[in-house]
Amino acid sequence: QAQLAESGGGSVQAGGSLRLSCAASGYSWMSCMGWFRQAPGKEREGIAFIDLSSTTYADSVKGRFTISKDNAENILYLQMNSLKAEDTAIYYCAAESAAACTRVGGMWSASYVEKWGRGTQVTVSS
C-alpha cells in the first residue's frame, strides 16, 4: 500500500533547528512532493515543494527552510533553521503525480494533493 511516513518532529526553542524526513513507499516516486503545515485554528498551508522544474517556498519560511530529495532512497527532507514560535504546527508530507505541482495563487494547492502523510508535530517555544 502506498504511503508517506514523516519523522523528525519535536519540541525546540526559538532559534533552533529541526530536520523532518518523509519516507515514501509502495509506489513510484511522485514528481511533485513537498510539505504543508497546519497550526491550530488555521487552514493547512503549503510551505515548500519541489517538482521537475522548480523548488518553491512560502514567504513565511523562505531563507530559513530548505527542502531536498534523496531520489535513491525515496526520502524527502525539510531542514528547518531559525525556528520561530509561529512555526508551531503539524507538518505533513504530500505528493502529487503531476510533473509540476498544481498551483493556486502561486503556491501548491492542497486540493490537488493525491497522497498525505499522517503528520508530525513541531512545537517551538519562545
Side-chain angles (χ1 to χ4, degrees):
Q1 183 177 358
Q3 63 178 359
L4 301 173
E6 303 96 337
S7 61
S11 297
V12 65
Q13 290 190 331
S17 299
L18 284 173
R19 188 176 79 157
L20 305 183
S21 300
C22 172
S25 62
Y27 61 96
S28 300
W29 193 240
M30 288 188 168
S31 299
C32 164
M33 294 198 68
W35 297 91
F36 286 73
R37 69 184 181 188
Q38 188 165 19
K42 295 188 176 181
E43 292 187 356
R44 193 170 296 191
E45 62 168 343
I47 56 170
F49 56 96
I50 187 168
D51 57 27
L52 294 181
S53 60
S54 63
T55 300
T56 304
Y57 298 93
D59 289 342
S60 58
V61 306
K62 198 174 296 182
R64 300 187 298 122
F65 291 11
T66 302
I67 187 172
S68 61
K69 288 171 63 177
D70 183 332
N71 290 322
E73 298 294 330
N74 280 1
I75 300 176
L76 183 74
Y77 297 101
L78 185 68
Q79 177 67 42
M80 306 186 294
N81 299 328
S82 302
L83 283 161
K84 305 175 182 179
E86 50 263 45
D87 294 319
T88 295
I90 298 174
Y91 284 69
Y92 297 91
C93 180
E96 180 186 352
S97 58
C101 303
T102 304
R103 301 175 186 234
V104 175
M107 290 300 294
W108 188 17
S109 170
S111 299
Y112 294 91
V113 171
E114 297 170 31
K115 194 68 182 176
W116 292 99
R118 299 182 69 175
T120 185
Q121 176 71 46
V122 171
T123 302
V124 184
S125 58
S126 56

